[in-house]
Amino acid sequence: KAGVTQTPRYLIKTRGQQVTLSCSPISGHRSVSWYQQTPGQGLQFLFEYFSETQRNKGNFPGRFSGRQFSNSRSEMNVSTLELGDSALYLCASSLAAGFDRGYTFGSGTRLTVV
Amino acid sequence: GQQVMQIPQYQHVQEGEDFTTYCNSSTTLSNIQWYKQRPGGHPVFLIQLVKSGEVKKQKRLTFQFGEAKKNSSLHITATQTTDVGTYFCAGFTYNFNKFYFGSGTKLNVKP
């Protein structure tokens, strides 16, 4: 069974640009959540999608947005990039939404903003 | 705001020694999950606790959920070098509808 796939693995962007990250969940998993990991702030929850609907949202500005497609694949978009957005972005999938079961994480996308 | 605190931040032990990390929440949690992240890797789900006072074991790992569902611990008996990594707790609060990760405890095991 294939795991959670995130693309690209590495990305370098310039401040002010926008970026789109992709996540393909484990087959059969309908919940996809996104996290930002930095040395200073640790792991922070961005949002969760289930059946193409955002179910939960963390405390991030509106520059961070996401969506989920009918095949459960999800994308995360960050507009007007700032230097502080440099981080490892992880997505995780689960059978159902609601954080009542464990999540399987992908290997992440390492975003560097210069 | 509500958040999940985890201590200690770092722990260095000699192989064979025990290790414990603690997770504390300011509000009652619906459940708590534990993850392990190896250096350079991604978090891997270990276990979930749901019931007040619940204790679960996985070989040398013992997980506990407090009676008030505000704290949890992970205890590793007789650590091995394969235990090296950062251990995170993560809790969900229905009343805030939020999912929080603890800051993690980085474990280093000296052979």
Side-chain angles (χ1 to χ4, degrees):
Chain A
K1 194 183 209 182
V4 177
T5 304
Q6 289 189 247
T7 57
R9 288 296 306 276
Y10 302 92
L11 207 49
I12 300 176
K13 287 286 188 179
T14 304
R15 192 170 45 181
Q17 287 186 312
Q18 74 164 15
V19 67
T20 300
L21 312 181
S22 179
C23 174
S24 293
I26 288 175
S27 178
H29 283 194
R30 296 169 62 192
S31 165
V32 173
S33 52
W34 288 88
Y35 303 83
Q36 181 195 66
Q37 187 172 32
T38 59
Q41 298 296 318
L43 263 168
Q44 291 187 286
F45 168 70
L46 280 153
F47 29 65
E48 180 185 35
Y49 285 87
F50 181 79
S51 293
E52 302 178 65
T53 303
Q54 189 180 89
R55 291 287 299 267
N56 290 292
K57 190 176 188 302
N59 299 320
F60 278 80
R63 300 186 296 108
F64 292 81
S65 63
R67 59 177 177 168
Q68 186 180 35
F69 302 96
S70 58
N71 62 358
S72 294
R73 189 178 71 86
S74 178
E75 287 182 348
M76 190 191 90
N77 184 272
V78 187
S79 62
T80 320
L81 284 166
E82 301 176 359
L83 295 178
D85 296 332
S86 294
L88 178 66
Y89 289 89
L90 294 157
C91 87
S93 75
S94 181
L95 280 169
F99 308 109
D100 63 350
R101 61 194 71 207
Y103 283 79
T104 302
F105 281 81
S107 298
T109 294
R110 173 78 60 184
L111 171 65
T112 302
V113 182
V114 297
Chain B
Q2 196 276 347
Q3 59 184 345
V4 175
M5 308 299 292
Q6 197 173 345
I7 56 170
Q9 191 174 1
Y10 301 97
Q11 186 79 57
H12 301 271
V13 300
Q14 198 72 39
E15 189 171 22
E17 291 182 337
D18 291 356
F19 159 78
T20 304
T21 173
Y22 300 91
C23 196
N24 296 291
S25 170
S26 55
T27 61
T28 303
L29 299 171
S30 304
N31 58 21
I32 195 148
Q33 299 174 1
W34 285 91
Y35 293 81
K36 176 185 178 181
Q37 186 172 20
R38 293 182 187 273
H42 55 272
V44 173
F45 175 72
L46 294 175
I47 208 161
Q48 174 171 274
L49 305 171
V50 179
K51 299 176 185 175
S52 168
E54 189 170 13
V55 178
K56 287 188 176 180
K57 291 191 175 184
Q58 287 181 349
K59 297 182 180 178
R60 293 179 295 105
L61 277 61
T62 301
F63 304 83
Q64 292 187 323
F65 201 8
E67 294 291 339
K69 299 182 76 173
K70 287 187 175 183
N71 54 72
S72 180
S73 65
L74 158 59
H75 179 81
I76 302 178
T77 304
T79 54
Q80 300 174 359
T81 54
T82 53
D83 295 326
V84 165
T86 301
Y87 293 84
F88 293 95
C89 62
F92 180 67
T93 61
Y94 275 122
N95 47 336
F96 291 107
N97 205 35
K98 296 292 184 189
F99 188 55
Y100 293 97
F101 270 86
S103 50
T105 295
K106 190 171 183 178
L107 172 64
N108 186 38
V109 180
K110 292 177 284 187

